[in-house]
Amino acid sequence: MTGLASLGLTAEQEQLYRRLLRDPGAPLDPSCPAVTELRALGLLDDALNAAAPAVAVDLLVRRRIEHTQRRLAELSLAWDVLTELTEEHRSGRPVQMVEHLPDGPAVHRRMRLLLHDEPGEFTHLKERAVAHDGGDVPAGGLLARGLRSRTLFSARALADPGQEQHARARHALGDLHRVTTEPIRHLAVVNRAVAFVQADPADPAAGALQIRQRGVVAMLADVLDGMWERARDLDDLPLSPIEQQVLHALTRHDTDDAAARALHISVRKLRAHVADLMARLGAATRFQAALLAKERGWL
């Protein structure tokens, strides 16, 4: 395929366009199908002048790309069918577009099964960094197999110090964590193909709905992407009240004993807070911690 045929023009359309480039004043019949078609493509203006070659090729390339994207979107539906057939073959039962799973353990088992078969991408929105039932998804083995995992949890959970510690530990393993102040509804998306939502937000014991409908899953994945972009990294979290007090006490007192007395806490507790602050700042010394804290506006 040569010439403009590779960009979607018929032989008659290309012949007419080339003739108008060579002879802009050539007489034309406005009712000619080729003229109408070239005008619809943007290769002729209302005065029947031919678009410049660079403009024409750009328009045709863009049109070809859009056409190809539409075809790819149509072909991608075949992968949905393949997923359904594979699941039916594995489970021995018809795949439902929306299926009710009765409780948390059943949801976690289904997620792990999907990720075990294809450890691609997992995004999770939840109230707490660590689940009440300990059923965190994904497991470390899936991360080692290349799973890309993101967990977004509520800033309210930070009232429990153990939540941040758990989030940081998971983050270090590769399950990236961020914190959001936006309203939370438990939601997970596996490989941008299957979504899990609470069956009844007012009743945590009601289980979850597994959704395979392509349009709904794509919309939920986009919602999660937007929330992730607006969320805060763990290292950008604001200081807790006690952390602020400890940091300021260290700048006002020469010894740990004096700083601890001023805060009415034990020296041991003070030093534990200092160690946490240094780790959070990535500081090797207290002096370096003070400099980094000032850079972040904490002092």
Side-chain angles (χ1 to χ4, degrees), residues 148 168 225 294:
R148 302 181 304 280
R168 289 185 179 279
D225 287 344
K294 190 171 183 179

Side-chain angles (χ1 to χ4, degrees), residues 157-284:
L158 296 174
D160 175 3
Q163 292 292 312
E164 183 177 346
Q165 294 171 7
H166 176 84
R168 289 185 179 279
R170 298 289 299 177
H171 190 87
L173 290 174
D175 178 13
L176 304 182
H177 276 61
R178 284 186 176 181
V179 175
T180 181
T181 57
E182 296 184 50
I184 293 287
R185 287 286 183 268
H186 282 245
L187 168 64
V189 176
V190 176
N191 294 328
R192 295 187 174 266
V194 184
F196 296 83
V197 300
Q198 288 177 283
D200 182 356
D203 182 7
L209 299 178
Q210 175 186 280
I211 303 171
R212 291 178 177 271
Q213 208 288 323
R214 181 181 177 86
V216 175
V217 175
M219 179 186 69
L220 294 174
D222 288 344
V223 168
L224 280 177
D225 287 344
M227 292 186 70
W228 180 265
E229 290 300 320
R230 294 188 296 273
R232 303 182 71 164
D233 288 331
L234 293 173
D235 287 336
D236 291 334
L237 297 178
L239 292 178
S240 67
I242 185 60
E243 287 175 326
Q244 291 177 335
Q245 294 168 16
V246 167
L247 195 56
H248 283 90
L250 290 176
T251 65
R252 296 169 184 162
H253 301 279
D254 295 331
T255 65
D256 287 353
D257 287 340
R261 283 196 303 271
L263 296 175
H264 306 291
I265 61 175
S266 68
V267 173
R268 181 177 179 182
K269 188 68 173 177
L270 174 82
R271 288 173 178 167
H273 283 303
V274 172
D276 288 343
L277 282 168
M278 290 177 62
R280 185 166 167 183
L281 289 162

Side-chain angles (χ1 to χ4, degrees), residues 10-149:
T10 65
E12 185 180 3
Q13 291 168 346
E14 180 174 357
Q15 183 180 24
L16 176 58
Y17 175 71
R18 289 177 179 272
R19 180 161 65 87
L20 291 173
L21 284 179
R22 295 191 300 269
D23 184 7
L28 288 177
D29 178 2
S31 64
C32 172
V35 172
T36 303
E37 291 158 1
L38 289 178
R39 290 184 66 184
L41 292 170
L43 272 63
L44 291 182
D45 61 19
D46 291 340
L48 302 184
N49 297 311
V55 173
V57 170
D58 180 68
L59 287 171
L60 292 173
V61 168
R62 290 176 183 274
R63 181 171 177 270
R64 196 69 167 177
I65 290 173
E66 291 173 0
H67 175 74
T68 302
Q69 288 175 335
R70 287 195 297 271
R71 292 301 305 274
L72 287 174
E74 293 169 2
L75 289 173
S76 68
L77 295 175
W79 296 111
D80 290 346
V81 174
L82 174 61
T83 300
E84 293 174 18
L85 293 175
T86 301
E87 178 65 15
E88 288 192 14
H89 180 258
R90 183 194 64 78
S91 64
R93 56 183 173 75
V95 173
Q96 303 175 44
M97 288 294 98
V98 179
E99 178 183 355
H100 179 246
L101 302 175
D103 51 36
V107 174
H108 294 147
R109 285 194 299 271
R110 185 63 60 82
M111 289 179 181
R112 289 192 179 100
L113 181 61
L114 291 168
L115 291 168
H116 181 271
D117 291 341
E118 185 184 348
E121 180 181 341
F122 180 72
T123 310
H124 201 180
L125 173 66
K126 54 185 182 177
E127 279 283 352
R128 296 162 58 85
V130 58
H132 289 288
D133 57 7
D136 278 330
V137 179
L142 294 172
L143 294 170
R145 289 172 57 194
L147 177 68
R148 302 181 304 280
S149 181

